[in-house]
Amino acid sequence: MTAVACHNLEFGRTMLDFLACGCSSNASFDRFSVRSYAKGAVRNVNRGYKPRKLVCFQPEIGPQTKTPEALLTDTPQVLDLKKELRSPASLTNLFEVVAEDLQTLNKNLQSIVGAENPVLMSAAEQIFGAGGKRMRPALVFLVSRATAEIVGLKELTKEHRRLAEIIEMIHTASLIHDDVLDESDMRRGKETLHQLYGTRVAVLAGDFMFAQSSWYLANLENLEVIKLISQVIKDFASGEIKQASSLFDCDVQLEEYLIKSYYKTASLISASTKGASIFSGVNSYISEQMYQYGKNFGLSFQIVDDILDFTQSAEQLGKPAGSDLANGNLTAPVIFALKKEARLRDIIESEFCDTGSLEEAIEIVKRCGGIHRAQDLAREKANLAVQNLQCLPLNSFRIALEELVKYNLERIK
């Protein structure tokens, strides 16, 4: 596989240099099927290793201060994760090891929003009853349980559980506002909140959830986590501003796209994973690696989503295919294709004024290899995410985190 020549991002969050963990296992590990997660835990783990605690010894590394736009110049070698993909899995299987945690969360979400504001109860039922993968709170639970083992915690704390609820509220609030800004009619195959209740109710519902999550966040009384999650809400706004200021801009660079993707997607995921590890009480090196895992997985996830906008049908997407491009939001496949085909620039800069021009642009992106290069970029970030997990004990929770990275890539297999 050819690695994509792109820069890796550092986002000015007290970063550590990317280092190998220094922990090693002399056991060979044959990765087993995701299906073995069924019935609550991985049981057939006797394939050449025994789950055990790993102790990491790392020197203290001073913080680096970088602006959000600071970029690393080295490009890591890309492992061909595609070779490790198996038959399609499901998130239900992947999250089986934290299924009870997710069930508890689902019971709490509607009451958290509706109990304090009955006017928004019906809106809350629509929001949280519309399905959704609950991927972000699942990540909180997986990292919480994986890191808890390191320090000998037998059960999750109330802070772990509250963090998962806060994360899902923030994510949902951002989706409501996104749909209003994008004037989207559908979300997950259903009518959006503003379509059902009007823009005013939708905006207020999103605002209320942001405010409610902030109140719960303050009550966690952990300044590091408060700063971490508060930054996410700021990042959402920064991402929207960056996107709005670069619509139909054919000179947008890949680095700018990645920064915007971090703000809009990876920021919340990385805050979820780092926050979970902080509440477990692990050392700063491990919590930083959990941050990096969330960042790299989040970027890979967003790139895959942007690829699917070109490769899936409207029925599969739950929204019109090619909608990002139609709205002038130029994502990785388009950025790569623009370097190959001048005609694509002409079509985009005309803002698809001619009949059939959007369909022509989508075809050019596919024909010029934009999809394939974006796939390589997604794999590169996925590879980094898997490396970030090496400091965790080799247990069912770490394996689920690894398999989630690969599951994401299976969506573009």
Side-chain angles (χ1 to χ4, degrees):
M1 172 179 297
T2 303
V4 176
C6 96
H7 300 292
N8 289 301
L9 302 179
E10 291 288 2
F11 294 99
R13 301 278 196 279
T14 311
M15 292 294 183
L16 300 179
D17 288 330
F18 179 78
L19 296 172
C21 174
C23 303
S24 63
S25 170
N26 57 6
S28 62
F29 171 39
D30 180 16
R31 302 180 188 277
F32 45 80
S33 170
V34 178
R35 287 187 293 272
S36 62
Y37 284 100
K39 304 301 182 183
V42 176
R43 302 187 187 279
N44 58 338
V45 293
N46 57 342
R47 300 190 181 185
Y49 76 92
K50 294 182 179 179
R52 54 185 174 82
K53 294 182 181 179
L54 303 182
V55 180
C56 299
F57 298 95
Q58 288 295 330
E60 289 297 322
I61 301 174
Q64 301 175 9
T65 303
K66 294 177 181 289
T67 63
E69 288 74 18
L71 302 169
L72 297 178
T73 57
D74 59 317
T75 302
Q77 183 179 359
V78 181
L79 298 180
D80 192 355
L81 291 175
K82 189 174 183 181
K83 292 180 179 178
E84 299 190 38
L85 302 179
R86 291 172 295 279
S87 58
S90 71
L91 288 179
T92 301
N93 287 339
L94 283 172
F95 297 157
E96 185 65 31
V97 287
V98 290
E100 291 183 7
D101 297 323
L102 288 171
Q103 288 173 4
T104 301
L105 174 127
N106 287 335
K107 292 176 183 177
N108 291 340
L109 281 173
Q110 288 188 30
S111 62
I112 285 173
V113 176
E116 298 226 1
N117 196 326
V119 175
L120 293 176
M121 176 59 85
S122 60
E125 290 175 352
Q126 170 67 19
I127 294 163
F128 295 119
K133 298 178 285 290
R134 301 284 190 263
M135 181 183 74
R136 289 153 188 83
L139 279 167
V140 171
F141 292 133
L142 288 170
V143 172
S144 296
R145 292 195 174 278
T147 52
E149 181 175 320
I150 296 173
V151 297
L153 282 178
K154 300 299 183 184
E155 188 49 70
L156 298 188
T157 66
K158 66 179 187 297
E159 288 81 10
H160 283 129
R161 297 190 182 281
R162 182 61 79 193
L163 176 64
E165 294 163 0
I166 290 168
I167 292 298
E168 185 65 5
M169 280 193 289
I170 291 174
H171 173 59
T172 304
S174 72
L175 294 182
I176 295 170
H177 283 178
D178 280 352
D179 288 339
V180 172
L181 289 171
D182 298 339
E183 299 181 349
S184 299
D185 297 334
M186 303 294 289
R187 165 74 63 178
R188 297 167 183 157
K190 297 183 178 181
E191 283 188 287
T192 53
L193 196 66
H194 68 91
Q195 281 290 107
L196 291 172
Y197 299 99
T199 298
R200 182 181 179 85
V201 171
V203 170
L204 289 174
D207 288 348
F208 180 81
M209 271 193 282
F210 275 130
Q212 187 81 324
S213 62
S214 297
W215 187 85
Y216 281 121
L217 180 61
N219 280 275
L220 290 176
E221 297 182 347
N222 184 299
L223 186 58
E224 186 177 6
V225 175
I226 290 171
K227 288 181 177 180
L228 187 69
I229 307 300
S230 297
Q231 180 67 43
V232 170
I233 300 175
K234 177 184 174 183
D235 287 345
F236 281 152
S238 297
E240 288 296 339
I241 292 169
K242 278 186 173 294
Q243 180 169 302
S245 63
S246 61
L247 296 178
F248 299 101
D249 180 7
C250 293
D251 294 316
V252 65
Q253 298 299 305
L254 186 63
E255 289 85 355
E256 298 173 76
Y257 160 78
L258 289 172
I259 292 169
K260 182 197 70 176
S261 297
Y262 172 81
Y263 284 150
K264 289 175 65 67
T265 301
S267 176
L268 180 60
I269 294 177
S270 58
S272 304
T273 50
K274 183 174 183 178
S277 67
I278 290 171
F279 284 132
S280 292
V282 296
N283 65 45
S284 59
Y285 175 77
I286 295 176
S287 66
E288 182 60 28
Q289 289 300 301
M290 294 305 94
Y291 173 87
Q292 294 291 336
Y293 167 81
K295 182 194 76 174
N296 288 312
F297 171 67
L299 290 174
S300 180
F301 186 87
Q302 183 59 57
I303 295 163
V304 168
D305 261 7
D306 293 338
I307 292 169
L308 294 178
D309 195 49
F310 289 91
T311 60
Q312 287 193 334
S313 66
E315 291 73 21
Q316 291 172 308
L317 291 169
K319 62 179 181 178
S323 57
D324 281 337
L325 180 57
N327 292 326
N329 179 24
L330 308 190
T331 57
V334 180
I335 292 170
F336 285 125
L338 278 167
K339 298 183 183 301
K340 294 278 190 73
E341 179 59 65
R343 168 64 179 158
L344 182 59
R345 173 183 286 266
D346 295 336
I347 298 173
I348 293 172
E349 289 181 343
S350 74
E351 299 187 12
F352 310 108
C353 60
D354 296 331
T355 302
S357 58
L358 176 61
E359 290 74 16
E360 182 183 357
I362 292 172
E363 182 57 35
I364 291 173
V365 170
K366 294 178 179 178
R367 188 178 70 243
C368 289
I371 302 294
H372 293 301
R373 295 197 65 192
Q375 288 172 333
D376 286 346
L377 179 59
R379 293 188 188 104
E380 179 182 311
K381 298 303 178 185
N383 173 70
L384 290 174
V386 171
Q387 291 183 46
N388 294 138
L389 295 172
Q390 300 309 302
C391 277
L392 295 180
L394 192 50
N395 56 24
S396 59
F397 307 111
R398 171 180 150 182
I399 295 166
L401 290 166
E402 292 178 348
E403 296 292 343
L404 182 60
V405 175
K406 297 167 195 171
Y407 169 85
N408 178 53
L409 295 181
E410 286 181 353
R411 298 193 295 154
I412 54 172
K413 188 175 179 181

